[in-house]
Amino acid sequence: MYYKGFYHLFYQNNPLAPEFSRKKMIWGHSVSQDMVNWIQLEPALSPSEPYDINSCWSGAATILPDGRPVILYTGLDNNNRTQVTVVAEPKDVSDPLLREWVKPKYNPVMVPPSNVYHDCFRDPTTAWQGEDGIWRVLIGAKVKDTETGMAILYRSDDFVKWTKYPVNLLEAEETGMWECPDFFPVSITGKEGVDTSVNNANVRHVLKASFGGNDCYVIGKYSSENEEFLGDYEFTKTSADLRYDHGTFYASKAFFDSVKNRRINWGWVVETDSKEDDFKKGWAGLMTLPREMWLDTSGKRLIQWPIEEINHLRTKSVKLDSCEIKTGAAFEISGITAAQADVEVTFNLPSLEDNPEILEADHHVDDATLFDRDSSVGCVYGPFGLLALASDDLSEQTAIFFKVIRRGNGYAVVMGSNEKRSSLRDNVKKSSHGTFVDINPRQEKISLRCLIDHSIIESYAAGGKSVITSRVYPKLAIGEAAKLYVFNDGTRGVTMSSLEAWSMRNAQINTNTTY
């Protein structure tokens, strides 16, 4: 959230060890004036009362009409670790750093309803206020003895006494527990974000739920008069669900930045090495770069893009003119710090109609095959793209690539991030992530932006229509030994119409403060 000149990031933290704790999760607290450089403060919330004595789990902040912030979070109580909803308020609203928070005596304000188990009721959203003055909030949950996930709606006149609404705002069978739900409006007329309580003919609403390891979302129309959210589609827990990110990304939370009128989203990236590695380095888990979000002009999906402040870290740059990338080619982009870089590249294809030998993808081929860099099923163009965090001999590399396949009467663009060769280490999970990019390669160039930071790569295709985050742990491609390449493994050449890459400065992350 933003408050009195500072952006505040609250995050789940175990102060005792770099692993999840079933008894001591607290709210870490850092502040920033640009969302790039961060100062670490004392924890905002710690277990202290019977209703949260076993942990302070996730939740959200709401800015009240008078400008005061308030937090709703999940407490694990002393009664069988039941998950309950707790309110916290700043001790001193004149303190822009909000260093101390208090828990009113009327807590907890919500407890699991009878059709929900005690441990399946958590993660309140930012609250929103209807034209009737009533506050609303969603809680993630799962129906007892089923796999039906749901967003339970609660309402309040005073932010103190909350009442469960008889009908869930949204639910879906076979999705399991919904964690970290989110609900907010997006403008239908442009990129600008709007306050969470805005609801008129110029907005649609996004409902996000985290389940099955993914952050999935539905776009629809919300009416506060009858508390009805009509989604354009339903959650299926399949690849048909819209996702914020098709890689390692979970439990995200968006907020409205009133300074620049933006909707900004943060995602959590888990470790994919071993617990022993976490203890060795002394920490586990990180946040993605903050992403601005807005509705695509098609109205079908969200666009995501790193906030503009990230560009202030750019330093030395290289720029390449248009050139053909022949089949089997891989050439190095030198002159930048490849382990810490920002890369923007655009590819152009020859006229697709002139290549009748492009094969139609077998409709029986599963997505995993199409998203595999080493599979050429139904594909003539590609894979082509970037090799990030690559070693000199290419024994280590993470490929962020595209393929063009024929589907029906047209063509489809596949985007992938392949971690199979990302590290020579054995105790590391190496996944193949992929998705389809909603562009027409007959009419549009294929663009990619990669933000590379030693062990994480965030890749944005087509101006942010598709995003993949990869968590990798190279053994050789570290520091100055890391290389960056453009490659083409396809059977036909492609044109790299532009490339610009920057070395990136270090951000100041969680430095201590004398405030």
Side-chain angles (χ1 to χ4, degrees):
M1 69 174 178
Y2 179 84
Y3 186 71
K4 292 186 182 295
F6 288 91
Y7 293 98
H8 294 254
L9 177 63
F10 304 98
Y11 50 93
Q12 291 284 279
N13 176 238
N14 176 6
L16 303 178
E19 63 179 347
F20 177 74
S21 167
R22 293 195 60 81
K23 287 193 174 182
K24 186 61 178 174
M25 296 303 292
I26 67 172
W27 277 43
H29 184 193
S30 294
V31 294
S32 173
Q33 293 184 302
D34 59 6
M35 287 183 282
V36 177
N37 303 289
W38 292 87
I39 294 169
Q40 186 174 24
L41 301 179
E42 290 298 309
L45 300 171
S46 297
S48 64
E49 307 298 329
Y51 49 74
D52 70 359
I53 197 64
N54 282 308
S55 274
C56 299
W57 277 11
S58 190
T62 300
I63 306 295
L64 300 179
D66 62 4
R68 289 184 300 120
V70 62
I71 284 172
L72 289 170
Y73 70 96
T74 301
L76 272 63
D77 75 7
N78 59 355
N79 179 24
N80 198 28
R81 299 173 54 82
T82 297
Q83 296 171 4
V84 299
T85 304
V86 183
V87 172
E89 301 171 340
K91 185 176 182 179
D92 178 7
V93 293
S94 68
D95 177 13
L97 299 179
L98 299 173
R99 285 170 291 193
E100 292 185 77
W101 292 78
V102 294
K103 306 166 187 178
K105 292 182 178 180
Y106 54 76
N107 277 308
V109 295
M110 300 171 223
V111 298
S114 59
N115 67 332
V116 172
Y117 282 122
H118 72 281
D119 59 351
C120 292
F121 181 79
R122 55 185 177 268
D123 309 334
T125 64
T126 295
W128 70 96
Q129 193 174 32
E131 291 185 2
D132 54 10
I134 296 173
W135 287 99
R136 285 102 166 147
V137 72
L138 298 181
I139 308 290
K142 182 171 78 77
V143 179
K144 272 183 181 178
D145 301 321
T146 75
E147 286 303 307
T148 299
M150 56 186 173
I152 304 177
L153 177 65
Y154 282 81
R155 311 199 321 169
S156 175
D157 293 323
D158 55 9
F159 228 93
V160 175
K161 183 179 179 181
W162 293 84
T163 304
K164 179 182 176 295
Y165 194 72
V167 180
N168 297 323
L169 194 66
L170 193 67
E171 61 182 51
E173 297 179 355
E174 306 305 325
T175 51
M177 174 69 195
W178 287 10
E179 298 186 291
C180 299
D182 211 356
F183 189 64
F184 54 87
V186 287
S187 172
I188 62 174
T189 58
K191 291 174 57 175
E192 280 200 350
V194 293
D195 182 82
T196 307
S197 292
V198 169
N199 190 15
N200 54 42
N202 295 318
V203 303
R204 304 202 79 209
H205 273 75
V206 175
L207 196 155
K208 186 274 295 186
S210 301
F211 55 81
N214 298 301
D215 274 21
C216 302
Y217 68 95
V218 171
I219 299 170
K221 189 64 180 175
Y222 167 63
S223 167
S224 61
E225 292 180 3
N226 55 9
E227 301 298 6
E228 188 175 49
F229 175 69
L230 296 175
D232 295 345
Y233 34 82
E234 296 181 351
F235 287 134
T236 63
K237 205 177 181 180
T238 70
S239 60
D241 291 338
L242 290 177
R243 299 179 187 174
Y244 283 169
D245 193 300
H246 292 263
T248 305
F249 180 99
Y250 195 66
S252 64
K253 182 71 188 78
F255 80 102
F256 174 62
D257 174 16
S258 59
V259 180
K260 294 188 176 181
N261 289 330
R262 301 178 288 185
R263 175 65 54 173
I264 295 175
N265 195 46
W266 295 83
W268 172 47
V269 182
V270 301
E271 302 299 324
T272 55
D273 57 356
S274 68
K275 183 179 288 189
E276 290 74 22
D277 291 314
D278 295 341
F279 274 83
K280 186 175 181 180
K281 65 178 179 277
W283 57 273
L286 60 150
M287 305 300 291
T288 59
L289 297 173
R291 303 172 182 178
E292 188 174 356
M293 305 174 81
W294 64 92
L295 189 65
D296 187 15
T297 53
S298 70
K300 297 189 300 182
R301 67 179 63 246
L302 295 176
I303 301 293
Q304 300 173 83
W305 199 248
I307 61 169
E308 61 186 3
E309 288 87 342
I310 298 298
N311 297 354
H312 298 160
L313 295 176
R314 291 173 170 175
T315 56
K316 185 171 54 173
S317 68
V318 295
K319 196 170 185 177
L320 299 182
D321 296 327
S322 177
C323 64
E324 183 181 0
I325 313 299
K326 295 182 178 179
T327 180
F331 67 88
E332 183 182 355
I333 306 301
S334 56
I336 59 165
T337 55
Q340 197 166 299
D342 187 357
V343 189
E344 295 187 3
V345 60
T346 304
F347 298 97
N348 210 5
L349 304 178
S351 175
L352 289 168
E353 290 86 348
D354 295 338
N355 293 287
E357 56 271 341
I358 288 184
L359 302 176
E360 181 164 355
D362 186 340
H363 290 293
H364 299 293
V365 176
D366 62 12
D367 288 349
T369 301
L370 293 175
F371 299 155
D372 186 349
R373 174 193 170 184
D374 298 324
S375 170
S376 59
V377 174
C379 169
V380 166
Y381 285 111
F384 59 86
L386 298 177
L387 301 178
L389 297 174
S391 59
D392 233 348
D393 60 359
L394 295 181
S395 61
E396 283 188 339
Q397 53 176 270
T398 299
I400 303 96
F401 64 89
F402 297 101
K403 298 179 185 179
V404 177
I405 62 173
R406 177 123 192 194
R407 277 202 158 178
N409 296 322
Y411 299 87
V413 177
V414 171
M415 174 196 188
S417 183
N418 189 295
E419 302 168 3
K420 288 183 178 178
R421 292 175 239 172
S422 62
S423 177
L424 295 178
R425 292 171 50 185
D426 295 326
N427 62 336
V428 173
K429 182 180 179 182
K430 303 168 189 175
S431 303
S432 292
H433 306 293
T435 185
F436 291 94
V437 184
D438 186 20
I439 61 171
N440 182 352
R442 281 177 171 152
Q443 302 170 354
E444 302 171 75
K445 293 180 179 181
I446 298 174
S447 66
L448 175 67
R449 181 180 182 184
C450 286
L451 286 147
I452 305 161
D453 193 12
H454 298 273
S455 63
I456 184 169
I457 305 167
E458 294 186 37
S459 302
Y460 299 76
K465 287 187 175 183
S466 298
V467 187
I468 299 177
T469 298
S470 280
R471 191 83 173 91
V472 294
Y473 305 87
K475 184 177 181 179
L476 302 179
I478 297 173
E480 294 183 1
K483 309 289 183 182
L484 174 68
Y485 295 85
V486 176
F487 82 99
N488 177 19
D489 284 350
T491 58
R492 290 185 172 274
V494 298
T495 300
M496 184 184 75
S497 48
S498 66
L499 182 144
E500 191 164 10
W502 296 263
S503 297
M504 300 290 275
R505 289 197 308 270
N506 288 341
Q508 295 177 8
I509 302 297
N510 277 351
T511 54
N512 290 324
T513 176
T514 56
Y515 283 138

